[in-house]
Amino acid sequence: MLTKKQHELLVFINDRLTETGVSPSFDEMKEALDLRSKSGIHRLITALEERGFIRRLPHRARALEILKMPEGAKADPAPAPAQRGFKPAVVDGDFKRRRPEIAPRAAAPAGAGSVDLPVLGRIAAGTPIEAIQHEVDRFNAPDALIGKGDHYILEVQGESMINAGIQDGDYVIIKRCSDAENGAIVVALVDDEEATLKRLRRKGASVALEAANPDFETRIYGPDRVAVQGKLVGLMRSYH
């Protein structure tokens, strides 16, 4: 699920690539979406990239490639060239019937019980907040990973946190809270609209949401633009 602006930008880029074969400039994107600054476009591009809809081609200015379009949208993406390490994003259509196993580093002790937790959808950069507000499934999590308080599970989409050991397709256990210590990995709500899973860094009067992948930038906001929705306390992984 994309926000309205993310969808508009993706369609605009796709139409321009189809017509001219050249990506539009940030100024052209800003004008097309009626935004006041290019920083908003940069944020939208980063969100689309993390969620697997587009790819920035290295060593080429203004070079974007459409990898996929939302269901029902017109798309004419060029076939992606073979490239070391490149793998297209694949969404598992059998999400509700899949049950993750606990990764070895998060294994519960023998005889431990389990806790039934709600799965509230998938999270990536720029996920619309409404996409993680409704229960889509329930999983059993070992109670060794669950402390006091209210908890929920999210499926991770994208590779922005891989250097923190969080991979695409993992399930993260989140303790619901409105604040977290500096350096914690949190679900952060930006501008009351978009949610993302990032490391929280406070720098003076600013709040930084830090990716754990050098391919993705750290995003810095004023304190009134970011609200913590929960803190990472555990991780589950499915092995097929």
Side-chain angles (χ1 to χ4, degrees):
M1 184 176 181
L2 298 177
T3 66
K4 181 180 178 181
K5 288 296 184 183
Q6 289 169 0
H7 186 275
E8 288 178 0
L9 181 59
L10 184 61
V11 170
F12 177 68
I13 294 171
N14 182 70
D15 288 347
R16 181 62 65 86
L17 285 171
T18 301
E19 292 172 5
T20 68
V22 179
S23 303
S25 68
F26 273 33
D27 283 324
E28 290 170 329
M29 296 180 201
K30 178 171 69 74
E31 183 177 350
L33 271 66
D34 195 26
L35 296 180
R36 289 181 294 179
S37 70
K38 287 189 285 188
S39 63
I41 293 296
H42 193 67
R43 180 162 57 92
L44 293 172
I45 289 287
T46 299
L48 290 172
E49 185 178 29
E50 281 200 41
R51 303 185 71 193
F53 286 93
I54 66 173
R55 181 164 66 100
R56 293 186 238 210
L57 301 179
H59 312 303
R60 291 172 57 188
R62 289 180 52 183
L64 298 173
E65 179 181 33
I66 302 291
L67 300 178
K68 64 180 180 180
M69 294 289 285
E71 291 184 9
K74 179 182 177 183
D76 296 297
Q83 206 171 329
R84 184 181 64 180
F86 171 71
K87 294 195 299 182
V90 178
V91 177
D92 186 344
D94 199 24
F95 171 76
K96 288 197 173 183
R97 288 196 292 273
R98 188 172 63 186
R99 289 294 185 271
E101 299 294 333
I102 303 303
R105 59 186 171 85
S114 62
V115 179
D116 188 45
L117 295 179
V119 180
L120 301 185
R122 299 179 176 93
I123 187 167
T127 298
I129 184 59
E130 61 267 21
I132 62 168
Q133 289 180 322
H134 305 289
E135 182 177 321
V136 298
D137 204 353
R138 298 192 73 86
F139 286 167
N140 288 325
D143 57 10
L145 298 179
I146 310 299
K148 295 181 180 180
D150 186 20
H151 295 72
Y152 58 91
I153 293 174
L154 293 170
E155 183 183 10
V156 175
Q157 184 177 11
E159 299 183 339
S160 66
M161 298 300 290
I162 56 174
N163 287 349
I166 304 171
Q167 300 180 14
D168 183 48
D170 283 351
Y171 292 86
V172 289
I173 301 173
I174 305 296
K175 179 180 180 180
R176 198 182 299 273
C177 59
S178 58
D179 197 12
E181 67 273 17
N182 208 31
I185 295 176
V186 302
V187 175
L189 178 63
V190 180
D191 295 334
D192 292 323
E193 180 182 354
E194 300 176 2
T196 187
L197 184 72
K198 292 290 184 292
R199 194 177 298 279
L200 180 71
R201 300 284 188 192
R202 294 185 178 89
K203 300 179 180 180
S206 299
V207 176
L209 298 180
E210 181 180 279
N213 182 335
D215 292 335
F216 298 95
E217 65 174 5
T218 294
R219 295 157 62 185
I220 300 176
Y221 303 94
D224 58 334
R225 296 184 60 193
V226 177
V228 173
Q229 302 289 289
K231 173 185 173 182
L232 175 71
V233 296
L235 180 145
M236 299 189 294
R237 181 168 297 155
S238 177
Y239 294 96
H240 300 287

Coordinates of all heavy atoms in Angstrom, one line a residue, residues 106-191:
A106 N 17.2 -16.3 18.6 CA 16.0 -15.9 19.4 C 15.3 -17.1 19.9 O 14.1 -16.9 20.3 CB 15.1 -15.0 18.5
A107 N 15.9 -18.2 20.0 CA 15.2 -19.4 20.4 C 14.8 -19.4 21.8 O 15.5 -18.8 22.7 CB 16.1 -20.6 20.2
A108 N 13.6 -19.9 22.1 CA 13.1 -19.9 23.5 C 13.7 -21.1 24.2 O 14.0 -22.2 23.6 CB 11.6 -20.0 23.4
P109 N 13.8 -21.0 25.5 CA 14.3 -22.2 26.3 C 13.3 -23.3 26.3 O 12.1 -23.1 26.1 CB 14.5 -21.6 27.7 CG 13.6 -20.4 27.8 CD 13.6 -19.8 26.4
A110 N 13.8 -24.5 26.6 CA 13.0 -25.7 26.6 C 11.9 -25.6 27.6 O 12.1 -25.1 28.7 CB 13.8 -27.0 26.9
G111 N 10.7 -25.9 27.2 CA 9.5 -25.9 28.1 C 8.9 -24.5 28.2 O 7.9 -24.3 28.9
A112 N 9.4 -23.5 27.5 CA 8.8 -22.2 27.6 C 7.5 -22.2 26.9 O 7.2 -22.9 25.9 CB 9.8 -21.2 26.9
G113 N 6.6 -21.3 27.4 CA 5.3 -21.1 26.8 C 5.3 -20.2 25.6 O 6.4 -19.7 25.2
S114 N 4.2 -19.8 25.1 CA 4.1 -18.9 24.0 C 2.9 -17.9 24.3 O 2.1 -18.1 25.1 CB 3.9 -19.6 22.7 OG 2.7 -20.3 22.7
V115 N 3.0 -16.8 23.6 CA 2.0 -15.8 23.7 C 1.4 -15.5 22.3 O 2.2 -15.4 21.3 CB 2.7 -14.4 24.2 CG1 1.6 -13.4 24.3 CG2 3.3 -14.7 25.6
D116 N 0.1 -15.4 22.2 CA -0.5 -15.2 20.9 C -0.6 -13.7 20.7 O -1.1 -12.9 21.5 CB -2.0 -15.7 21.0 CG -2.7 -15.6 19.6 OD1 -2.0 -16.0 18.6 OD2 -3.8 -15.2 19.6
L117 N 0.1 -13.2 19.6 CA 0.2 -11.8 19.3 C -0.4 -11.4 17.9 O -0.4 -12.2 17.0 CB 1.6 -11.3 19.3 CG 2.4 -11.4 20.6 CD1 3.8 -11.0 20.4 CD2 1.7 -10.6 21.7
P118 N -1.0 -10.2 17.8 CA -1.5 -9.8 16.5 C -0.5 -9.4 15.5 O 0.5 -8.8 15.9 CB -2.4 -8.6 16.8 CG -1.8 -8.0 18.1 CD -1.2 -9.2 18.8
V119 N -0.6 -9.8 14.3 CA 0.2 -9.3 13.2 C -0.5 -8.1 12.5 O -1.6 -8.3 12.1 CB 0.5 -10.4 12.1 CG1 1.4 -9.9 11.0 CG2 1.2 -11.6 12.8
L120 N 0.2 -7.0 12.5 CA -0.5 -5.7 12.0 C 0.0 -5.3 10.6 O -0.1 -4.1 10.3 CB -0.3 -4.6 13.0 CG -0.8 -4.8 14.4 CD1 -0.6 -3.6 15.3 CD2 -2.3 -5.3 14.4
G121 N 0.5 -6.3 9.8 CA 0.8 -5.9 8.5 C 2.3 -5.8 8.2 O 3.1 -6.3 9.0
R122 N 2.7 -5.2 7.1 CA 4.1 -5.1 6.7 C 4.6 -3.7 6.9 O 3.8 -2.7 6.7 CB 4.2 -5.5 5.2 CG 3.9 -6.9 4.9 CD 4.0 -7.2 3.4 NE 3.7 -8.6 3.0 CZ 2.6 -9.0 2.6 NH1 1.6 -8.2 2.5 NH2 2.4 -10.3 2.4
I123 N 5.8 -3.5 7.2 CA 6.4 -2.2 7.4 C 7.6 -2.0 6.6 O 8.5 -2.9 6.5 CB 6.7 -1.9 8.9 CG1 7.1 -0.4 9.1 CG2 7.7 -2.8 9.5 CD1 7.1 0.1 10.5
A124 N 7.8 -0.9 5.9 CA 9.0 -0.5 5.2 C 9.0 1.1 5.3 O 8.2 1.7 6.0 CB 8.9 -0.9 3.7
A125 N 10.0 1.7 4.7 CA 10.1 3.1 4.7 C 8.8 3.7 4.1 O 8.4 3.3 3.0 CB 11.3 3.6 3.9
G126 N 8.2 4.6 4.8 CA 7.1 5.3 4.2 C 5.8 4.5 4.1 O 4.9 4.8 3.3
T127 N 5.7 3.5 5.0 CA 4.4 2.7 5.0 C 3.3 3.6 5.5 O 3.4 4.3 6.6 CB 4.5 1.5 6.0 OG1 5.6 0.7 5.5 CG2 3.2 0.8 6.0
P128 N 2.2 3.7 4.8 CA 1.0 4.5 5.4 C 0.6 4.0 6.7 O 0.5 2.8 6.9 CB -0.1 4.3 4.3 CG 0.7 3.9 3.1 CD 1.8 3.1 3.5
I129 N 0.4 4.8 7.7 CA 0.1 4.4 9.0 C -1.1 3.5 9.1 O -1.2 2.6 9.9 CB 0.0 5.6 10.0 CG1 -0.2 5.2 11.5 CG2 -1.2 6.5 9.6 CD1 0.9 4.3 12.0
E130 N -2.1 3.8 8.2 CA -3.3 2.9 8.2 C -3.0 1.5 7.9 O -3.8 0.6 8.2 CB -4.4 3.5 7.3 CG -4.0 3.6 5.9 CD -3.4 5.0 5.5 OE1 -3.0 5.7 6.4 OE2 -3.5 5.3 4.3
A131 N -1.9 1.2 7.2 CA -1.5 -0.1 6.8 C -1.1 -1.0 8.0 O -1.0 -2.2 7.8 CB -0.5 -0.1 5.7
I132 N -0.7 -0.4 9.1 CA -0.3 -1.2 10.3 C -1.2 -1.0 11.5 O -0.7 -1.2 12.6 CB 1.2 -0.9 10.6 CG1 1.4 0.5 11.0 CG2 2.1 -1.3 9.4 CD1 2.8 0.8 11.6
Q133 N -2.4 -0.6 11.3 CA -3.3 -0.3 12.4 C -4.3 -1.4 12.5 O -5.1 -1.4 13.5 CB -4.0 1.0 12.2 CG -3.1 2.2 12.4 CD -3.8 3.5 12.2 OE1 -4.7 3.6 11.3 NE2 -3.5 4.5 13.0
H134 N -4.4 -2.4 11.6 CA -5.4 -3.4 11.6 C -4.8 -4.8 11.6 O -3.9 -5.1 10.9 CB -6.4 -3.2 10.4 CG -7.0 -1.8 10.3 ND1 -7.9 -1.4 11.2 CD2 -6.7 -0.8 9.5 CE1 -8.2 -0.1 10.9 NE2 -7.5 0.2 9.8
E135 N -5.3 -5.7 12.4 CA -4.8 -7.0 12.5 C -5.1 -7.8 11.2 O -6.2 -7.8 10.7 CB -5.5 -7.7 13.7 CG -5.0 -9.1 14.0 CD -5.7 -9.7 15.2 OE1 -5.9 -9.0 16.2 OE2 -6.0 -10.9 15.1
V136 N -4.0 -8.5 10.7 CA -4.2 -9.3 9.5 C -4.0 -10.8 9.8 O -4.3 -11.6 9.0 CB -3.2 -8.8 8.4 CG1 -3.5 -7.4 8.0 CG2 -1.7 -9.0 8.9
D137 N -3.4 -11.1 11.0 CA -3.2 -12.5 11.3 C -2.8 -12.5 12.8 O -2.7 -11.5 13.5 CB -2.0 -13.0 10.4 CG -2.1 -14.6 10.3 OD1 -2.9 -15.2 11.0 OD2 -1.3 -15.1 9.5
R138 N -2.5 -13.7 13.3 CA -2.0 -13.9 14.7 C -0.9 -15.0 14.7 O -1.0 -16.0 14.0 CB -3.1 -14.3 15.7 CG -4.2 -13.2 15.8 CD -5.1 -13.5 17.0 NE -4.4 -13.2 18.3 CZ -4.4 -12.0 18.8 NH1 -5.0 -10.9 18.3 NH2 -3.8 -11.8 20.0
F139 N 0.2 -14.7 15.4 CA 1.3 -15.7 15.5 C 1.6 -15.9 17.0 O 1.4 -15.1 17.8 CB 2.6 -15.1 14.9 CG 2.6 -15.1 13.4 CD1 3.6 -14.4 12.7 CD2 1.7 -15.8 12.6 CE1 3.7 -14.3 11.4 CE2 1.7 -15.7 11.2 CZ 2.7 -15.0 10.6
N140 N 2.1 -17.1 17.3 CA 2.5 -17.5 18.6 C 4.0 -17.1 18.7 O 4.8 -17.5 17.9 CB 2.4 -19.0 18.9 CG 0.9 -19.4 19.1 OD1 0.1 -18.6 19.6 ND2 0.6 -20.5 18.6
A141 N 4.3 -16.3 19.7 CA 5.7 -15.9 20.0 C 6.1 -16.4 21.4 O 5.3 -16.5 22.3 CB 5.8 -14.4 20.0
P142 N 7.4 -16.9 21.5 CA 7.8 -17.4 22.8 C 7.7 -16.3 23.9 O 8.2 -15.2 23.7 CB 9.3 -17.9 22.6 CG 9.7 -17.1 21.4 CD 8.5 -16.9 20.5
D143 N 7.2 -16.7 25.1 CA 7.1 -15.7 26.1 C 8.4 -15.2 26.7 O 8.5 -14.2 27.3 CB 6.2 -16.2 27.2 CG 6.7 -17.5 27.9 OD1 7.8 -17.9 27.6 OD2 5.9 -18.1 28.6
A144 N 9.5 -15.9 26.3 CA 10.8 -15.5 26.7 C 11.2 -14.1 26.1 O 12.0 -13.4 26.5 CB 11.9 -16.5 26.4
L145 N 10.5 -13.8 24.9 CA 10.8 -12.6 24.2 C 9.8 -11.5 24.6 O 10.0 -10.3 24.2 CB 10.7 -12.8 22.7 CG 11.6 -13.8 22.0 CD1 11.4 -13.9 20.5 CD2 13.1 -13.4 22.3
I146 N 8.8 -11.8 25.4 CA 7.8 -10.9 25.7 C 7.8 -10.4 27.2 O 7.8 -11.3 28.1 CB 6.4 -11.5 25.4 CG1 6.3 -12.1 24.0 CG2 5.3 -10.4 25.6 CD1 6.6 -11.1 22.9
G147 N 8.0 -9.2 27.4 CA 7.9 -8.7 28.8 C 6.6 -8.1 29.1 O 5.5 -8.5 28.5
K148 N 6.5 -7.2 30.0 CA 5.3 -6.5 30.4 C 4.9 -5.6 29.3 O 5.7 -5.0 28.6 CB 5.4 -5.8 31.7 CG 5.7 -6.7 32.9 CD 5.8 -5.9 34.2 CE 6.1 -6.8 35.4 NZ 6.2 -6.0 36.7
G149 N 3.6 -5.3 29.2 CA 3.1 -4.3 28.3 C 2.4 -5.0 27.1 O 2.3 -6.2 27.0
D150 N 2.0 -4.1 26.2 CA 1.3 -4.5 25.0 C 2.2 -4.7 23.8 O 3.1 -3.9 23.6 CB 0.2 -3.4 24.6 CG -0.7 -3.8 23.4 OD1 -0.8 -5.0 23.1 OD2 -1.2 -2.9 22.8
H151 N 2.1 -5.8 23.1 CA 3.1 -6.1 22.0 C 2.3 -6.5 20.7 O 1.1 -6.9 20.8 CB 3.9 -7.3 22.4 CG 4.9 -7.1 23.5 ND1 4.4 -7.0 24.8 CD2 6.2 -6.9 23.6 CE1 5.5 -6.7 25.6 NE2 6.6 -6.7 24.9
Y152 N 3.0 -6.3 19.6 CA 2.4 -6.7 18.3 C 3.5 -7.1 17.4 O 4.7 -6.9 17.7 CB 1.5 -5.6 17.7 CG 2.2 -4.2 17.5 CD1 2.9 -3.9 16.3 CD2 2.3 -3.3 18.5 CE1 3.5 -2.7 16.1 CE2 2.9 -2.0 18.3 CZ 3.5 -1.8 17.1 OH 4.2 -0.6 16.9
I153 N 3.2 -7.6 16.2 CA 4.2 -8.1 15.3 C 4.0 -7.4 13.9 O 2.9 -7.2 13.5 CB 4.0 -9.7 15.1 CG1 4.4 -10.4 16.4 CG2 4.9 -10.2 13.9 CD1 4.2 -11.9 16.3
L154 N 5.1 -7.1 13.3 CA 5.1 -6.6 11.9 C 6.0 -7.4 11.0 O 7.0 -7.9 11.5 CB 5.6 -5.1 11.9 CG 4.7 -4.1 12.6 CD1 5.4 -2.7 12.8 CD2 3.4 -3.9 11.9
E155 N 5.6 -7.5 9.8 CA 6.5 -8.2 8.8 C 7.4 -7.1 8.2 O 6.9 -6.1 7.7 CB 5.7 -8.9 7.7 CG 6.6 -9.7 6.8 CD 5.9 -10.3 5.6 OE1 4.7 -10.1 5.5 OE2 6.5 -11.1 4.9
V156 N 8.7 -7.3 8.1 CA 9.6 -6.4 7.5 C 9.6 -6.5 6.0 O 9.8 -7.6 5.5 CB 11.0 -6.6 8.1 CG1 12.0 -5.6 7.4 CG2 11.0 -6.4 9.6
Q157 N 9.6 -5.4 5.3 CA 9.7 -5.3 3.9 C 10.8 -4.4 3.5 O 10.8 -3.2 3.8 CB 8.3 -4.9 3.2 CG 8.4 -4.9 1.7 CD 7.0 -4.5 1.1 OE1 6.1 -4.0 1.9 NE2 6.8 -4.8 -0.1
G158 N 11.8 -4.9 2.8 CA 12.9 -4.0 2.4 C 14.2 -4.4 3.1 O 14.2 -5.3 4.0
E159 N 15.3 -3.8 2.8 CA 16.6 -4.1 3.3 C 17.3 -3.0 4.0 O 18.5 -3.0 4.1 CB 17.5 -4.6 2.1 CG 16.9 -5.9 1.4 CD 17.8 -6.4 0.3 OE1 18.7 -5.6 -0.2 OE2 17.7 -7.6 0.0
S160 N 16.6 -2.0 4.5 CA 17.2 -0.9 5.1 C 17.8 -1.1 6.5 O 18.6 -0.3 7.0 CB 16.2 0.3 5.2 OG 15.1 -0.1 6.1
M161 N 17.5 -2.3 7.1 CA 18.0 -2.6 8.4 C 18.8 -3.9 8.4 O 19.0 -4.5 9.5 CB 16.8 -2.7 9.4 CG 16.0 -1.4 9.6 SD 17.1 0.0 10.2 CE 17.4 -0.6 11.9
I162 N 19.4 -4.3 7.3 CA 20.0 -5.6 7.2 C 21.3 -5.7 8.1 O 21.6 -6.8 8.6 CB 20.4 -6.0 5.8 CG1 21.2 -4.9 5.1 CG2 19.1 -6.3 5.0 CD1 21.7 -5.4 3.7
N163 N 22.0 -4.6 8.3 CA 23.2 -4.6 9.1 C 22.9 -4.6 10.6 O 23.8 -4.8 11.4 CB 24.1 -3.4 8.8 CG 24.8 -3.5 7.4 OD1 24.7 -4.6 6.8 ND2 25.4 -2.5 7.0
A164 N 21.6 -4.5 10.9 CA 21.2 -4.8 12.3 C 20.6 -6.2 12.5 O 20.0 -6.5 13.5 CB 20.1 -3.7 12.7
G165 N 20.8 -7.0 11.4 CA 20.3 -8.4 11.5 C 18.9 -8.6 11.2 O 18.3 -9.6 11.4
I166 N 18.3 -7.5 10.6 CA 16.8 -7.6 10.3 C 16.7 -7.7 8.7 O 17.1 -6.7 8.0 CB 16.1 -6.3 10.8 CG1 16.3 -6.2 12.3 CG2 14.6 -6.4 10.5 CD1 15.8 -4.9 12.9
Q167 N 16.2 -8.8 8.2 CA 16.2 -9.0 6.8 C 14.7 -8.9 6.3 O 13.8 -8.9 7.0 CB 16.7 -10.4 6.5 CG 18.1 -10.6 7.0 CD 18.6 -12.0 6.7 OE1 18.0 -12.8 5.9 NE2 19.8 -12.4 7.3
D168 N 14.7 -8.7 5.0 CA 13.4 -8.7 4.3 C 12.6 -10.0 4.5 O 13.2 -11.1 4.4 CB 13.6 -8.5 2.8 CG 12.4 -8.4 2.0 OD1 11.5 -7.6 2.4 OD2 12.2 -9.1 0.9
G169 N 11.4 -9.9 5.0 CA 10.6 -11.1 5.3 C 10.6 -11.5 6.7 O 9.9 -12.4 7.2
D170 N 11.5 -10.9 7.6 CA 11.5 -11.2 9.0 C 10.3 -10.6 9.7 O 9.6 -9.7 9.2 CB 12.7 -10.6 9.7 CG 14.0 -11.3 9.4 OD1 13.9 -12.5 8.9 OD2 15.1 -10.8 9.7
Y171 N 10.0 -11.2 10.8 CA 8.9 -10.7 11.7 C 9.4 -10.1 12.9 O 10.2 -10.8 13.7 CB 7.9 -11.8 12.0 CG 7.1 -12.3 10.8 CD1 7.7 -13.3 10.0 CD2 5.9 -11.8 10.5 CE1 7.0 -13.8 8.9 CE2 5.2 -12.2 9.3 CZ 5.8 -13.2 8.6 OH 5.1 -13.7 7.5
V172 N 9.1 -8.8 13.2 CA 9.7 -8.2 14.4 C 8.6 -8.0 15.4 O 7.4 -7.8 15.1 CB 10.3 -6.8 14.0 CG1 11.6 -6.9 13.3 CG2 9.3 -5.9 13.3
I173 N 9.0 -8.3 16.7 CA 8.1 -8.1 17.8 C 8.3 -6.7 18.4 O 9.4 -6.4 18.8 CB 8.3 -9.2 18.9 CG1 8.2 -10.6 18.3 CG2 7.4 -9.0 20.1 CD1 8.6 -11.7 19.2
I174 N 7.2 -6.0 18.5 CA 7.3 -4.6 18.9 C 6.5 -4.4 20.2 O 5.4 -4.8 20.3 CB 6.7 -3.7 17.8 CG1 7.4 -3.9 16.5 CG2 6.8 -2.2 18.2 CD1 8.8 -3.5 16.4
K175 N 7.2 -3.8 21.2 CA 6.5 -3.4 22.4 C 5.9 -2.0 22.2 O 6.6 -1.1 21.9 CB 7.4 -3.4 23.6 CG 6.8 -2.9 24.9 CD 7.7 -2.9 26.1 CE 7.0 -2.5 27.3 NZ 8.0 -2.5 28.5
R176 N 4.6 -1.9 22.4 CA 4.0 -0.6 22.1 C 4.4 0.4 23.2 O 4.3 0.2 24.4 CB 2.4 -0.8 22.2 CG 1.7 0.4 21.5 CD 0.2 0.2 21.7 NE -0.3 -1.1 21.0 CZ -0.6 -1.1 19.7 NH1 -0.5 -0.1 18.9 NH2 -1.0 -2.3 19.2
C177 N 4.9 1.6 22.8 CA 5.3 2.6 23.7 C 5.4 3.9 22.9 O 5.4 3.9 21.7 CB 6.7 2.3 24.3 SG 8.0 2.1 23.1
S178 N 5.5 5.0 23.6 CA 5.6 6.3 23.0 C 6.9 7.0 23.1 O 7.1 8.1 22.7 CB 4.5 7.3 23.6 OG 4.7 7.4 25.0
D179 N 7.9 6.3 23.7 CA 9.2 6.8 23.8 C 10.2 5.7 23.9 O 9.8 4.5 24.2 CB 9.4 7.7 25.0 CG 10.6 8.6 24.9 OD1 11.2 8.7 23.9 OD2 10.9 9.3 26.0
A180 N 11.5 5.9 23.5 CA 12.5 4.9 23.6 C 13.9 5.6 23.8 O 14.1 6.7 23.5 CB 12.5 4.1 22.3
E181 N 14.8 4.8 24.3 CA 16.2 5.4 24.5 C 16.9 5.6 23.2 O 16.6 5.0 22.2 CB 17.0 4.4 25.4 CG 17.4 3.1 24.8 CD 16.3 2.0 24.9 OE1 15.2 2.3 25.2 OE2 16.7 0.8 24.7
N182 N 17.9 6.5 23.3 CA 18.7 6.8 22.1 C 19.4 5.5 21.6 O 20.0 4.8 22.4 CB 19.7 7.9 22.5 CG 20.1 8.7 21.3 OD1 19.3 9.0 20.4 ND2 21.3 9.2 21.3
G183 N 19.3 5.3 20.3 CA 19.9 4.1 19.8 C 19.0 2.9 19.6 O 19.4 1.9 19.0
A184 N 17.8 2.9 20.2 CA 16.9 1.8 20.0 C 16.3 1.8 18.6 O 16.2 2.8 17.9 CB 15.7 2.0 21.1
I185 N 15.9 0.6 18.2 CA 15.2 0.4 16.9 C 13.7 0.5 17.2 O 13.2 -0.2 18.0 CB 15.6 -0.9 16.3 CG1 17.1 -1.0 15.9 CG2 14.7 -1.2 15.0 CD1 17.5 -2.3 15.4
V186 N 13.1 1.4 16.5 CA 11.7 1.8 16.8 C 10.8 1.8 15.6 O 11.3 1.9 14.5 CB 11.6 3.1 17.5 CG1 12.4 3.2 18.8 CG2 12.0 4.3 16.6
V187 N 9.5 1.7 15.8 CA 8.5 2.0 14.8 C 8.2 3.5 15.0 O 7.7 3.9 16.0 CB 7.3 1.2 14.9 CG1 6.2 1.7 13.9 CG2 7.6 -0.3 14.7
A188 N 8.6 4.3 14.0 CA 8.4 5.8 14.1 C 7.4 6.2 13.1 O 7.3 5.8 12.0 CB 9.8 6.5 13.8
L189 N 6.5 7.1 13.6 CA 5.5 7.7 12.8 C 6.0 9.1 12.4 O 6.2 10.0 13.2 CB 4.2 7.8 13.5 CG 3.0 8.5 12.8 CD1 2.6 7.7 11.5 CD2 1.8 8.5 13.7
V190 N 6.1 9.4 11.1 CA 6.5 10.7 10.6 C 5.4 11.5 10.0 O 4.6 11.0 9.2 CB 7.6 10.5 9.5 CG1 8.1 11.8 8.9 CG2 8.8 9.7 10.0
D191 N 5.2 12.7 10.5 CA 4.2 13.6 10.1 C 2.8 13.1 10.2 O 1.9 13.4 9.4 CB 4.5 14.1 8.6 CG 5.7 14.8 8.5 OD1 6.2 15.5 9.5 OD2 6.4 14.8 7.4

